[in-house]
């Protein structure tokens, strides 16, 4: 089945630790996105990529990093510089930039 | 940046009732989409509707781009319609969607 797979579903981070969230899609989509959702809030854009080996910062990129070495994969690293990382992280993809968006099932990140 | 305002923020309905959710935006947009987030966090794309009207079963949506608003209609609501409904817009081509804060809907039996 075609879709977007995020892993892990739950992740715990210790202080000072970097953690990486995985996002893989087999929809052959060019564009991929990372959003952060805090309780009771809408989604805020962290990073997006329209093509392999290229990505742009969104509204809240500080403390995060990404790579886009393959079309299917867009991992997000939450670095120790992100002081408030507890949130629900959603990965999405679309055929072209901001066309109809499809989402993964999300990763809940918590701090120990 | 563009402001996306959704109303009402919360809504409780009895099964079988109809409802209208509204999305106002502060600038011209190239793209507008409606999403449903279920209680387990999964987001489903309901409509890609930068202008005009679309229908999909019990759901329909209308965007009046010149007046900067969109409406999502839910008819004969069911408990499975519960969750949060988000409106998202794109201002500049090739950028990404900006989301509103959502309308939280609870449909009771």
């Amino acid at each position: 089945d075609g879709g977007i797979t995020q892993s892990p579903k739950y992740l715990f981070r210790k202080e000072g630790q970097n953690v990486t969230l995985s996002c893989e899609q087999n929809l052959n989509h060019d564009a991929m996105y990372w959003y952060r959702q805090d309780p009771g809030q809408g989604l805020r854009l962290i990073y997006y990529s329209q093509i392999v080996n290229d990505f742009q910062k969104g509204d809240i990129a500080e403390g995060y990093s990404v790579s886009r070495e393959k079309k299917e994969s867009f991992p997000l690293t939450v670095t120790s510089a992100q002081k408030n990382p507890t949130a629900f992280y959603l990965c999405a993809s679309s055929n072209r930039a901001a066309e109809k968006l499809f989402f993964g099932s999300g990763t809940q990140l918590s701090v120990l | 940046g563009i402001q996306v305002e959704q109303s009402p923020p919360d809504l409780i309905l009895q099964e079988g009732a109809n409802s209208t959710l509204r999305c106002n935006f502060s600038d011209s947009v190239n793209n507008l989409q409606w999403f449903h987030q279920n209680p387990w966090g999964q987001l489903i794309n309901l409509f890609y509707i930068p202008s005009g009207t679309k229908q999909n079963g019990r759901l329909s949506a209308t965007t009046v781009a010149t007046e900067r608003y969109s409406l999502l209609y839910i008819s004969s609501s069911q408990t499975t319609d519960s969750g949060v409904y988000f409106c998202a817009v794109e201002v500049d081509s090739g950028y990404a969607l900006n989301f509103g804060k959502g309308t939280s809907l609870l449909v009771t039996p």
Side-chain angles (χ1 to χ4, degrees):
Chain A
D1 285 338
I4 302 172
T5 301
Q6 287 189 242
S7 62
K9 193 169 179 63
Y10 300 96
L11 185 59
F12 297 90
R13 192 190 91 167
K14 295 179 182 178
E15 198 158 332
Q17 187 182 38
N18 294 349
V19 292
T20 297
L21 284 61
S22 170
C23 178
E24 303 276 333
Q25 54 99 358
N26 60 6
L27 301 168
N28 200 34
H29 284 169
D30 288 318
M32 296 187 74
Y33 312 82
W34 276 105
Y35 285 91
R36 169 179 170 143
Q37 186 177 27
D38 293 284
Q41 300 295 312
L43 280 66
R44 292 184 291 166
L45 182 67
I46 305 173
Y47 269 98
Y48 68 105
S49 168
Q50 297 184 38
I51 196 168
V52 174
N53 292 323
D54 188 43
F55 48 83
Q56 286 77 41
K57 292 181 180 180
D59 301 319
I60 55 165
E62 187 174 348
Y64 301 96
S65 66
V66 293
S67 63
R68 186 87 187 276
E69 297 175 3
K70 299 187 296 182
K71 187 175 184 178
E72 317 77 76
S73 179
F74 191 40
L76 173 75
T77 296
V78 184
T79 74
S80 56
Q82 173 49 248
K83 297 307 179 187
N84 185 22
T86 296
F88 190 53
Y89 290 86
L90 287 152
C91 178
S93 71
S94 64
N95 195 22
R96 288 196 300 271
E99 262 196 7
K100 190 171 179 179
L101 235 61
F102 295 88
F103 279 87
S105 56
T107 293
Q108 176 64 49
L109 175 63
S110 303
V111 176
L112 288 175
Chain B
I2 189 169
Q3 302 298 311
V4 183
E5 302 287 340
Q6 291 188 244
S7 59
D10 301 284
L11 187 57
I12 300 176
L13 297 174
Q14 203 152 22
E15 208 166 17
N18 303 329
S19 63
T20 301
L21 282 57
R22 188 176 180 102
C23 173
N24 291 334
F25 41 94
S26 59
D27 205 346
S28 300
V29 298
N30 295 318
N31 179 353
L32 187 144
Q33 298 180 34
W34 283 96
F35 297 86
H36 174 228
Q37 186 172 37
N38 68 22
W40 298 272
Q42 179 70 54
L43 273 144
I44 302 297
N45 194 303
L46 299 174
F47 293 103
Y48 172 85
I49 186 166
S51 63
T53 297
K54 289 186 178 180
Q55 180 150 9
N56 184 4
R58 294 182 296 103
L59 302 180
S60 64
T62 294
T63 298
V64 184
T66 53
E67 296 188 21
R68 300 182 183 171
Y69 73 88
S70 182
L71 302 174
L72 178 69
Y73 305 96
I74 305 173
S75 64
S76 304
S77 57
Q78 300 175 357
T79 56
T80 52
D81 294 332
S82 297
V84 183
Y85 290 81
F86 289 104
C87 167
V89 302
E90 178 204 10
V91 177
D92 299 316
S93 293
Y95 189 59
L97 292 177
N98 292 283
F99 281 73
K101 292 190 175 182
T103 292
S104 179
L105 173 65
L106 176 63
V107 181
T108 61

